[in-house]
Amino acid sequence: MNRDIIALIDKLEDQHSLSLEEYAILVQGRTPEAMEYIGEKARRIRREIYGTSVYVRGLIEFTNLCRNNCLYCGIRRSNHHCDRYRLTKDEILECCAAGYELGFRTFVLQGGEDAYWNDEILCGLIRQIKERYQDCALTLSIGERSRESYQKLYDAGADRYLLRHETADKTHYEKLHPAEMSFDNRMKCLMELKEIGYQVGCGFMVGSPWQTPETLAEDLKFIEEFSPDMCGIGPFIPHKDTPLGNHDAGTLEETLWLLSIIRLMLPHVLLPATTALGTIHPKGREMGILAGANVVMPNLSPVSVRKKYELYDNKICTGDEAAECRACLARRMQSVGYELVTDRGDVKRKRNF
């Protein structure tokens, strides 16, 4: 094995920090032997903090209407092939009820930036969910909003907020997004969410067009310094009806490598093995868990709309009922020595790390 790469892995495990230049070298240093070396370390650290528990989140994709026009996203505003939908409050509450019966104690409301869901309507929904399920956490993943809006949603009872930064390099960000979207505003939103008191998640696509070792190093340094409670990374998968539909997908190997790097960097972080990882490889989520991840997010959305929330092509589990998704994932986790747990799955704060 390359001694320099081993030395960087050991340094990251010990100090939880590298320079930009060192991250760029580490990103490029992936070999099968190095992956095995860092994977073993990531598993050990993850088990020390979280044991063999895998936290399960019930994902409710409640609207695929979106005002934005991100060049990679299947529900972008200009995709006229997208079959649009918006769940009603009652439908969302039915998803929560079904999920609660199945043992879910975190619900994730994810959707496009849909103007219908203003603060008043969203706050009412959040209060209803939190009143009915007082032992559950509620995560929002609904994009960029004002600080005032984030504060209202937090005051209504939202616990967590997922907002992928997508890339920490401004020039790269501008290649992936239309001119009306602002890198600076995306970063400002993340900072405001943290200041308000949310458990905050950021993240990026692995293998997105124009990504380089240097832009990945910037991602890793940003994540190190921001120190999110959650970090969602998954392979870029092109969608045929987008401007980036002809680009190559990100790879399983690079995603697993980066998951292990992030686990060493932030031992306490909540790290999902994403649906996208399961889409590019039949055992992608299991391999993600073995690389250091500790969260999975099966779908609670009604089967009738699952195919319509298509951020990328060939998404898995679009025809399964919620119970099927959960039972399948439980078996998958057991097959690699882990178990789904009925738990809110809060981040375990830094103590000895």
Side-chain angles (χ1 to χ4, degrees):
M1 284 191 284
N2 184 314
R3 289 183 181 180
D4 292 339
I5 296 303
I6 296 306
L8 286 177
I9 292 171
D10 290 344
K11 181 179 178 180
L12 185 61
E13 179 187 26
D14 181 52
Q15 299 182 14
H16 314 299
S17 175
L18 297 176
S19 68
L20 264 177
E21 295 75 15
E22 287 171 328
Y23 277 128
I25 293 167
L26 183 57
V27 163
Q28 297 175 83
R30 173 173 52 84
T31 63
E33 295 79 15
M35 284 185 71
E36 185 175 338
Y37 185 75
I38 197 173
E40 187 278 326
K41 288 181 177 292
R43 282 190 294 279
R44 179 180 53 75
I45 290 170
R46 174 248 196 275
R47 283 191 177 227
E48 285 177 3
I49 301 172
Y50 291 103
T52 57
S53 297
V54 176
Y55 296 141
V56 61
R57 318 299 202 200
L59 183 62
I60 304 169
E61 296 164 335
F62 69 104
T63 177
N64 73 349
L65 282 83
C66 191
R67 65 178 180 173
N68 290 331
N69 223 10
C70 304
L71 274 64
Y72 48 81
C73 183
I75 64 170
R76 67 194 304 265
R77 183 181 72 233
S78 294
N79 182 8
H80 302 299
H81 299 286
C82 182
D83 186 3
R84 305 292 175 174
Y85 74 92
R86 179 188 294 134
L87 298 184
T88 66
K89 267 191 179 184
D90 286 343
E91 287 173 321
I92 293 169
L93 291 168
E94 287 170 11
C95 293
C96 293
Y100 193 84
E101 287 297 312
L102 290 168
F104 292 86
R105 295 298 179 265
T106 289
F107 303 121
V108 181
L109 294 183
Q110 179 173 296
E113 294 190 22
D114 178 355
Y116 169 82
W117 292 98
N118 60 30
D119 293 340
E120 181 181 1
I121 295 173
L122 265 177
C123 285
L125 174 62
I126 291 166
R127 289 190 189 100
Q128 278 187 278
I129 292 172
K130 293 294 284 190
E131 285 167 7
R132 292 188 186 189
Y133 308 104
Q134 295 181 18
D135 57 338
C136 292
L138 182 61
T139 302
L140 302 177
S141 181
I142 50 177
E144 296 179 16
R145 301 173 80 91
S146 69
R147 184 183 185 119
E148 179 185 27
S149 174
Y150 288 146
Q151 186 70 59
K152 287 179 179 177
L153 301 177
Y154 183 76
D155 292 343
D159 301 281
R160 306 176 184 141
Y161 205 103
L162 304 178
L163 182 65
R164 283 192 175 190
H165 64 280
E166 300 302 359
T167 172
D169 180 278
K170 186 172 183 176
T171 301
H172 187 210
Y173 183 93
E174 289 171 352
K175 290 179 179 179
L176 297 172
H177 299 88
E180 70 261 21
M181 292 186 70
S182 162
F183 170 83
D184 293 334
N185 190 63
R186 178 62 62 106
M187 290 301 185
K188 176 170 167 277
C189 286
L190 279 167
M191 299 304 171
E192 289 175 344
L193 288 162
K194 198 170 195 182
E195 289 166 4
I196 287 167
Y198 284 95
Q199 292 182 39
V200 181
C202 62
F204 60 91
M205 297 176 291
V206 178
S208 63
W210 308 292
Q211 190 176 71
T212 65
E214 290 71 30
T215 61
L216 277 171
E218 289 190 63
D219 283 316
L220 292 170
K221 195 64 183 175
F222 167 72
I223 291 166
E224 176 201 307
E225 293 174 349
F226 183 65
S227 190
D229 300 290
M230 299 162 280
C231 186
I233 71 166
F236 165 73
I237 303 176
H239 188 290
K240 62 184 182 304
D241 297 321
T242 68
L244 302 183
N246 291 324
H247 284 259
D248 292 335
T251 68
L252 172 77
E253 291 77 14
E254 188 168 24
T255 306
L256 298 175
W257 179 240
L258 289 163
L259 282 170
S260 294
I261 289 171
I262 293 169
R263 176 58 69 197
L264 266 60
M265 178 203 302
L266 299 175
H268 63 287
V269 77
L270 295 166
L271 196 57
T274 63
T275 301
L277 200 52
T279 298
I280 64 167
H281 190 283
K283 292 192 174 180
R285 287 171 295 183
E286 294 96 313
M287 295 167 82
I289 295 296
L290 291 172
N294 65 328
V295 173
V296 289
M297 298 172 66
N299 206 322
L300 288 178
S301 307
V303 172
S304 61
V305 303
R306 288 195 193 177
K307 281 185 167 57
K308 301 177 184 180
Y309 200 86
E310 191 178 65
L311 306 183
Y312 50 82
D313 286 338
N314 304 313
K315 183 178 167 187
I316 58 172
C317 300
T318 55
D320 292 346
E321 295 288 351
E324 292 178 82
C325 278
R326 193 197 185 288
C328 172
L329 265 178
R331 291 192 297 271
R332 287 174 175 274
M333 296 304 103
Q334 288 166 3
S335 74
V336 290
Y338 293 80
E339 59 177 343
L340 294 188
V341 294
T342 299
D343 193 303
R344 277 173 49 113
D346 290 301
V347 66
K348 295 192 177 180
R349 300 291 179 184
K350 298 179 189 177
R351 284 190 280 272
N352 299 320
F353 293 91

